[in-house]
Amino acid sequence: MPARDLVAPAVAFVVLVAAIVGGAAAVPFVTGGDSTDVTNLADRQTDMDAATVAEAESQGEITMDSDAESKTVLVDRAHANRISDEKLSTLVTTLVANGHEVEFVTQEQARGTAWNESLRSADALVIANPNRPYTPGQLAGVQAFAEAGGRVVMLSDPASIQQFGIFGFGFQRQSNDAPALASEFGLSAQSGYLFNMHQYQQTFKSVYATPGTGPLAAGVDRVVVRDAAAVSVADGQTALQAGERTRLSTTRRADTYGVAVRSGSVAMVGDTDFLTPESAYVADNEVFIGNLADFLVSGEKTENAPAPPSERSAGGGAAPPRPPAERA
């Protein structure tokens, strides 16, 4: 084979590669585009000279001040609630150690009229990260329970709030136009998480919250919440609020944001991580957990409230025999 027959393809290959490389380099200039700008939230918004990263002390114990007689506290497990037993253990252990009874209500134990029957025998209710909508009958039962003096503590992480619109179990109007629960209590929550690039514990999503007003804030200097949601109350008390340089992820707006609020017999906390055994003793988290436990057992609910619902108002369907609730 002649030498020129070998050289020609090689030259063509070199020209082709040069054209590809040269074209790739020229595209940004031709189109006006920029090369990929890789940044992250911390690099863009942190003034490291101004940031205060403090390792909050982890000590103390969870105690209760209430001397109330033994009360029954229900923990909702009937709505695919996304919260682990480990996370709940700090609050449950505190209640049981102080002579109170904790019952977990499963989906099978909440069908039909059984949900209201559970509420009738209880003094307080804990709802955390519900992942299944409440029926209109169940919502009405919780509302009647709170109006009768039963205590309700609602805990929700931002993911649940975003999924259901506002705080877990759909505080927006339901499909049948029944009024939703939180709006009845004057409570609301915003989607997105809180962060603070200037003062935080470990990471910028571990936000310090300082006390506001009311018994839930008693004895608290500061609490650490992690990946928390902003909550507010129309007519009630803001128990804890994040500092004024805290921002909301969805708006990037710096402001003071409530993370724990109370309206009458109902309290709402936009976080669940403060309950974990790893976080329960950080800063004054153990004081706040004790205050929540006191709140749960300090109500005086009307006996046998709420009234038994009809089959229709309970969401339809015959109520199965109610098995004994799990007891902690």
Side-chain angles (χ1 to χ4, degrees):
M1 179 181 294
R4 64 175 178 276
D5 292 341
L6 296 174
V7 171
V11 171
F13 176 74
V14 171
V15 171
L16 178 61
V17 171
I20 293 174
V21 174
V27 165
F29 299 99
V30 173
T31 61
D34 297 322
S35 58
T36 302
D37 184 15
V38 179
T39 61
N40 60 52
L41 191 61
D43 290 340
R44 189 170 61 249
Q45 299 196 33
T46 301
D47 178 358
M48 293 306 297
D49 293 334
T52 301
V53 184
E55 185 66 32
E57 293 186 0
S58 180
Q59 60 183 10
E61 59 179 330
I62 304 172
T63 61
M64 293 179 64
D65 294 330
S66 174
D67 57 358
E69 61 181 11
S70 181
K71 298 290 182 69
T72 299
V73 179
L74 294 185
V75 177
D76 184 14
R77 289 289 201 193
H79 296 87
N81 303 77
R82 291 183 177 176
I83 188 165
S84 66
D85 290 341
E86 180 186 25
K87 191 174 286 187
L88 284 171
S89 64
T90 53
L91 180 62
V92 171
T93 300
T94 300
L95 289 165
V96 173
N98 284 270
H100 303 286
E101 191 172 84
V102 179
E103 299 181 3
F104 294 86
V105 182
T106 66
Q107 183 179 0
E108 291 72 23
Q109 295 166 334
R111 289 176 178 164
T113 60
W115 174 253
N116 269 25
E117 290 174 5
S118 298
L119 295 177
R120 283 162 59 81
S121 63
D123 300 288
L125 172 66
V126 176
I127 298 171
N129 287 339
N131 197 38
R132 179 176 295 124
Y134 287 65
T135 67
Q138 290 173 335
L139 288 172
V142 176
Q143 183 179 343
F145 177 81
E147 291 174 350
R151 293 296 173 91
V152 180
V153 167
M154 300 186 289
L155 310 167
S156 187
D157 296 312
S160 290
I161 291 173
Q162 292 167 1
Q163 182 172 354
F164 286 100
I166 302 176
F167 199 69
F169 54 113
F171 290 159
Q172 295 173 329
R173 288 186 175 276
Q174 308 298 297
S175 58
N176 64 357
D177 209 32
L181 187 59
S183 58
E184 295 293 330
F185 294 135
L187 304 171
S188 63
Q190 300 185 56
S191 61
Y193 61 85
L194 297 175
F195 66 94
N196 189 319
M197 306 304 296
H198 301 279
Q199 186 173 26
Y200 50 83
Q201 194 261 345
Q202 293 186 336
T203 75
F204 64 98
K205 293 168 73 174
S206 295
V207 176
Y208 286 110
T210 54
T213 60
L216 287 176
V220 171
D221 179 42
R222 62 178 183 175
V223 166
V224 175
V225 291
R226 308 184 193 282
D227 195 13
V231 297
S232 59
V233 58
D235 183 17
Q237 301 166 337
T238 299
L240 296 175
Q241 61 184 13
E244 60 184 13
R245 301 182 79 175
T246 301
R247 295 177 183 271
L248 183 65
S249 64
T250 51
T251 64
R252 296 293 194 269
R253 180 182 178 183
D255 204 342
T256 57
Y257 294 94
V259 295
V261 295
R262 174 187 174 182
S263 176
S265 294
V266 181
M268 175 191 288
V269 184
D271 181 50
T272 63
D273 289 332
F274 72 97
L275 288 171
T276 63
E278 296 79 13
S279 298
Y281 303 95
V282 172
D284 291 327
N285 286 17
E286 81 282 0
V287 178
F288 181 56
I289 295 171
N291 292 346
L292 269 183
D294 285 329
F295 173 77
L296 283 167
V297 302
S298 299
E300 294 296 335
K301 195 197 75 170
T302 303
E303 189 174 358
N304 292 326
S310 64
E311 293 292 342
R312 184 174 181 180
S313 65
R322 184 190 177 201
E326 301 173 15
R327 294 174 185 271

